[in-house]
Amino acid sequence: MNYTTQMDAARKGIITEAMKIVAIKEGKTVEKIMALVAEGKVAIPANKNHKSLSPEGVGKGLRTKINVNLGISKDCCDCEKELDKVRTALEMKAEAIMDLSNYGKTAEMRKTIVEMSTAMIGTVPIYDALGYYDKDLKDLTAREFLDVVEKHGQDGVDFVTIHAGLNREAVETVKRNKRLTNVVSRGGSLLFAWMEMNNAENPFFEYYDELLDICAKYDITLSLGDALRPGSINDASDASQIKELITLGELTKRAWEKNVQVIIEGPGHMALNEIEANMIMQKRLCHGAPFYVLGPLVTDIAPGYDHITSAIGGAIAATYGADFLCYVTPAEHLRLPNLEDMKEGIIASKIAAHSADIAKGVKGAREWDNEMSKARAEIDWEKMFDLAIDPEKARRYRAESKPHDEESCSMCGKMCSMRTMKKILNGEELIIND
């Protein structure tokens, strides 16, 4: 039996190879995965042309996934450095990589990443449009916007961020409701500018059915971008954000009618006390579609530490319904992240995702922590290192400050509580001063 997309297959009762792989990774039956994909509550981004992909599921009841952003720009156009980031992200087991390249040999870069990556690959096609056509923004045509999406589909991209919810009504909402930070989405601001300069509707909204046909052709998952996401905690939960979210919910249903998988993108900056309500509202308005959050950053005053502000928000967001976290690095708002920045961002996001998985009762999450606790109680350093989310750093920190007693660490020495209790409960004599 033939099928066009993972959703089409699921609705026809066809179990795909991707569904089998996701079921094994998640410890669920393939029938359960198939049912969730059919409902749209789980997406499996898997372009037919991405041959090296090891599929992942994103959505209800599954492990919280993380995405890593990278790519070349005019100011930082060293392709090899960005490919080093790809290799490192794969080694660190990031489930998704977004190539945000917008300068130079973008097509070559994109094809190379797709060929080498077992992780799902995402892009924001509008970033590529300006360089691809070598035109000013105002002179791009609606057809050209769509053709770039098709090119990314041909190249094997698994999911594309498309700001289709930024229609003329949303633009007027932004104008009527003053924000501190206006439109902070790069793709959203470009579309906003194009619409204003041409006095025209957003091509991705006006020709949405054609966009869906392209997505169905290659089985591209449509990541409906939040062009009007808040770029400051002051702008969170405002009229512009909610107006766009309502439209994204309507666009989700239209996509599902054509068997196109959907992920909804969510807020970037948001105070702690607003996150839970936003997650519930998103799931309600967008019919349970998987939710992808860009942070959210819970305070705006920590440049250089936004991997931390993001991890705090991401853990809360994922606890209350977000399924997919976009990593944020210490370089956020400051510069293009280097390799070390990327590593820190990945670790922070993985900690947030895992913390939420414990809260959500995801299979195997709490067991990992329990194994670490047992290793600590037994003072089994090698096992602790093996279980650590960042084994290299854990080993390095211990090696940098060797204790007198190998059982303990240099902070507590022989007064280590774990050492004390292990010896006493084993009936051994406890000697501290020798």
Side-chain angles (χ1 to χ4, degrees):
M1 192 181 296
N2 293 327
Y3 62 90
T4 55
T5 67
Q6 295 293 323
M7 175 175 271
D8 184 34
R11 288 173 168 177
K12 290 175 176 175
I14 301 171
I15 294 173
T16 67
E17 191 62 30
M19 293 176 200
K20 293 177 185 177
I21 293 169
V22 169
I24 292 169
K25 287 182 176 182
E26 300 291 341
K28 296 186 178 294
T29 66
V30 72
E31 289 79 13
K32 179 64 175 175
I33 297 297
M34 182 174 66
L36 289 167
V37 172
E39 290 181 275
K41 292 179 179 176
V42 163
I44 303 178
N47 187 311
K48 297 169 184 176
N49 294 333
H50 189 177
K51 305 303 182 184
S52 60
L53 177 68
S54 178
E56 295 282 357
V58 178
K60 182 179 179 180
L62 309 187
R63 288 179 298 106
T64 306
K65 307 306 188 298
I66 72 162
N67 170 69
V68 172
N69 289 339
L70 46 80
I72 51 175
S73 65
K74 188 171 184 178
D75 291 316
C76 299
C77 54
D78 189 329
C79 292
E80 197 50 46
K81 281 186 179 179
E82 296 308 294
L83 292 176
D84 281 343
K85 290 181 186 177
V86 174
R87 297 180 189 100
T88 301
L90 294 173
E91 289 169 4
M92 296 179 75
K93 297 182 171 56
E95 291 90 2
I97 294 171
M98 287 199 80
D99 175 17
L100 306 185
S101 296
N102 57 66
Y103 176 78
K105 299 179 179 179
T106 55
E108 183 179 313
M109 179 77 171
R110 183 169 56 251
K111 290 176 184 176
T112 300
I113 293 175
V114 169
E115 286 172 3
M116 68 191 289
S117 179
T118 52
M120 52 184 158
I121 300 299
T123 59
V124 186
I126 192 172
Y127 293 177
D128 193 29
L130 291 170
Y132 185 72
Y133 293 110
D134 193 23
K135 285 184 176 183
D136 287 333
L137 176 64
K138 182 179 185 295
D139 297 328
L140 289 173
T141 67
R143 181 73 259 165
E144 287 170 336
F145 280 120
L146 293 171
D147 286 347
V148 170
V149 178
E150 174 118 25
K151 182 68 174 66
H152 285 217
Q154 291 170 352
D155 291 343
V157 170
D158 302 297
F159 65 102
V160 290
T161 292
I162 302 291
H163 302 93
L166 182 66
N167 57 17
R168 294 299 303 179
E169 288 184 28
V171 166
E172 293 307 313
T173 301
V174 173
K175 291 178 180 179
R176 290 193 305 269
N177 296 271
K178 181 64 178 172
R179 286 178 145 190
L180 280 182
T181 50
N182 297 312
V183 178
V184 299
S185 161
R186 192 191 328 177
S189 66
L190 290 171
L191 273 173
F192 192 109
W194 185 91
M195 293 162 69
E196 288 292 279
M197 289 188 292
N198 288 284
N199 191 29
E201 182 57 276
N202 178 351
F204 295 126
F205 181 80
E206 185 172 5
Y207 302 104
Y208 188 63
D209 285 327
E210 291 185 45
L211 172 67
L212 294 177
D213 290 339
I214 294 169
C215 291
K217 182 177 179 181
Y218 301 97
D219 198 0
I220 304 170
T221 296
L222 187 56
S223 188
L224 287 171
D226 52 340
L228 302 182
R229 67 176 180 267
S232 63
I233 62 170
N234 179 79
D235 297 343
S237 310
D238 71 352
S240 298
Q241 179 196 333
I242 305 308
K243 164 63 180 171
E244 182 183 34
L245 184 60
I246 292 169
T247 302
L248 296 184
E250 295 167 350
L251 294 176
T252 296
K253 293 179 76 173
R254 287 175 59 186
W256 287 347
E257 288 170 4
K258 291 200 171 189
N259 292 312
V260 172
Q261 300 184 103
V262 173
I263 293 172
I264 305 294
E265 295 189 10
H269 295 238
M270 183 166 285
L272 281 169
N273 59 306
E274 296 180 42
I275 295 174
E276 179 182 357
N278 267 263
M279 299 306 106
I280 294 169
M281 178 171 55
Q282 183 280 329
K283 286 285 184 175
R284 173 70 173 170
L285 292 177
C286 295
H287 321 292
F291 197 28
Y292 173 33
V293 290
L294 312 174
L297 281 65
V298 295
T299 178
D300 299 325
I301 62 165
Y305 298 91
D306 278 331
H307 59 312
I308 297 173
T309 65
S310 171
I312 293 168
I316 296 169
T319 295
Y320 291 107
D323 308 289
F324 196 12
L325 304 181
C326 185
Y327 93 146
V328 172
T329 77
E332 185 77 7
H333 301 117
L334 300 171
R335 60 169 169 80
L336 188 78
N338 62 27
L339 188 61
E340 288 308 309
D341 296 328
M342 188 195 78
K343 289 180 181 179
E344 288 193 54
I346 290 174
I347 293 298
S349 292
K350 289 181 74 173
I351 291 169
H354 177 69
S355 300
D357 286 349
I358 294 170
K360 291 190 287 191
V362 171
K363 184 176 181 180
R366 184 177 287 273
E367 287 77 3
W368 184 3
D369 287 67
N370 290 344
E371 285 300 307
M372 175 63 86
S373 297
K374 289 177 186 176
R376 284 178 172 153
E378 295 164 1
I379 319 179
D380 186 339
W381 291 102
E382 282 305 313
K383 190 169 184 180
M384 284 186 251
F385 296 146
D386 289 342
L387 290 166
I389 204 162
D390 184 359
E392 184 276 330
K393 186 172 185 178
R395 288 179 185 277
R396 175 165 53 84
Y397 268 40
R398 176 150 173 87
E400 286 173 353
S401 184
K402 280 286 189 179
H404 176 71
D405 187 315
E406 282 295 321
E407 276 192 317
S408 63
C409 74
S410 58
M411 182 174 185
C412 298
K414 288 190 175 182
M415 286 189 283
C416 169
S417 61
M418 297 297 188
R419 177 181 182 273
T420 296
M421 295 308 298
K422 181 180 179 183
K423 286 186 175 294
I424 292 299
L425 292 177
N426 284 342
E428 299 176 27
E429 184 177 0
L430 178 66
I431 299 174
I432 294 177
N433 296 316
D434 61 355

